[in-house]
Amino acid sequence: MLRKHLLITGANRGIGLTFVKAYLSAGWQVTACCRSPNDADKLLSLKSVYQKLTIVKLDLDELDNISLDSLNLPEESFDLVIHNAGYYGPKGVSFGQVNLGEWRKVLEINTLGPLFITNLLYPKLNLTQGCTLAFISSKVGSMADNGSGGGYYYRSSKAALNAVVKSLSIDLATDGVKSVALHPGWVLTDMGGPNALIDTETSVQGMMQVIDKLSFEQSGSFIDYQGKTIPW
């Protein structure tokens, strides 16, 4: 029996690295993507233990230079793709302080990148047994949850990502592909900061349960790590 195969972006630290460890421990084959594989010491340490781990260079800030051939992916098709790579951009940005270059970078990595990579990977998806596309979003992308304003770059990128997920759930339904936007919670990572409420293990274990139990009726939904639906 062939082992299941995960491809994950932003895999060298934080939530991404925790996902890698968890799926490797569960017996999956894992293709871990990051910007600088030669500097990804923790991934390289895992590689020395797990033969079923492949490390691939992928920089979502350079989409124009990425092709399916350039990625040099394993031959096996993917049963699960987790779009985890993200970029917050400058914090504390208020109205009247728009930096177009930074906003474009946030949108490029958080919104354009996941859809572009999904399009590239389509021929590699395991369509015979179905495939799940999981996109790490954020509750700050929820219109209903926005009670404080601000956060223009990151909020807009995640709201747009949620729209991408919803469209994919419709466009790929006939292929048996499920898509979901996941809110990981406020997590203790470089992006989440020291005041966050949960660690990466708690977040990842919760999201793995959501992914594992995801039904076709839930495809296109916005769900948090505890399995609760978040309003758009």
Side-chain angles (χ1 to χ4, degrees), residues 80-110:
L80 171 62
V81 177
I82 299 178
H83 292 278
N84 169 71
Y87 177 61
Y88 191 89
K91 295 186 178 181
V93 176
S94 59
F95 179 72
Q97 298 178 330
V98 175
N99 180 312
L100 290 178
E102 280 294 330
W103 197 355
R104 289 189 182 108
K105 183 175 180 179
V106 174
L107 289 168
E108 182 97 351
I109 294 173
N110 295 352

Side-chain angles (χ1 to χ4, degrees), residues 6-232:
L6 161 70
L7 180 140
I8 180 169
T9 66
N12 61 309
R13 63 180 181 173
I15 290 173
L17 183 64
T18 303
F19 264 126
V20 171
K21 292 177 179 177
Y23 277 104
L24 285 171
S25 296
W28 283 54
Q29 178 180 353
V30 175
T31 296
C33 303
C34 61
R35 287 181 297 176
S36 303
N38 293 335
D39 299 323
D41 294 339
K42 293 179 180 179
L43 281 179
L44 292 171
S45 294
L46 286 173
K47 177 67 175 174
S48 67
V49 178
Y50 293 96
Q51 292 185 347
K52 53 185 177 288
L53 172 61
T54 302
I55 305 173
V56 171
K57 177 178 173 58
L58 174 62
D59 189 345
L60 296 182
D61 202 21
E62 300 178 354
L63 294 181
D64 290 336
N65 300 322
I66 300 172
S67 67
L68 190 57
D69 289 338
S70 72
L71 293 176
N72 295 315
L73 299 172
E75 292 182 1
E76 296 83 0
S77 58
F78 298 106
D79 302 280
L80 171 62
V81 177
I82 299 178
H83 292 278
N84 169 71
Y87 177 61
Y88 191 89
K91 295 186 178 181
V93 176
S94 59
F95 179 72
Q97 298 178 330
V98 175
N99 180 312
L100 290 178
E102 280 294 330
W103 197 355
R104 289 189 182 108
K105 183 175 180 179
V106 174
L107 289 168
E108 182 97 351
I109 294 173
N110 295 352
T111 311
L112 279 66
L115 180 57
F116 179 77
I117 297 301
T118 297
N119 186 66
L120 284 186
L121 292 177
Y122 179 80
K124 296 281 292 180
L125 301 183
N126 186 354
L127 300 182
T128 59
Q129 297 183 25
C131 177
T132 299
L133 306 175
F135 298 78
I136 306 304
S137 186
S138 173
K139 191 167 67 170
V140 301
S142 165
M143 306 296 177
D145 185 70
N146 186 355
S148 61
Y152 291 98
Y153 304 169
Y154 196 67
R155 283 189 190 279
S156 61
S157 72
K158 292 302 185 180
L161 177 64
N162 291 346
V164 166
V165 173
K166 180 62 178 179
S167 286
L168 285 173
S169 73
I170 297 169
D171 294 339
L172 301 184
T174 55
D175 294 318
V177 175
K178 292 176 285 187
S179 301
V180 63
L182 296 173
H183 170 56
W186 189 9
V187 188
L188 285 161
T189 61
D190 291 343
M191 186 182 293
N195 298 320
L197 301 177
I198 59 173
D199 57 27
T200 57
E201 287 76 15
T202 300
S203 174
V204 164
Q205 287 301 318
M207 289 190 287
M208 287 176 69
Q209 291 183 28
V210 172
I211 292 169
D212 185 56
K213 298 177 181 178
L214 189 71
S215 66
F216 277 103
E217 289 72 25
Q218 292 176 301
S219 184
S221 296
F222 188 12
I223 305 173
D224 74 6
Y225 75 101
Q226 295 175 308
K228 300 176 182 177
T229 299
I230 298 175
W232 300 113

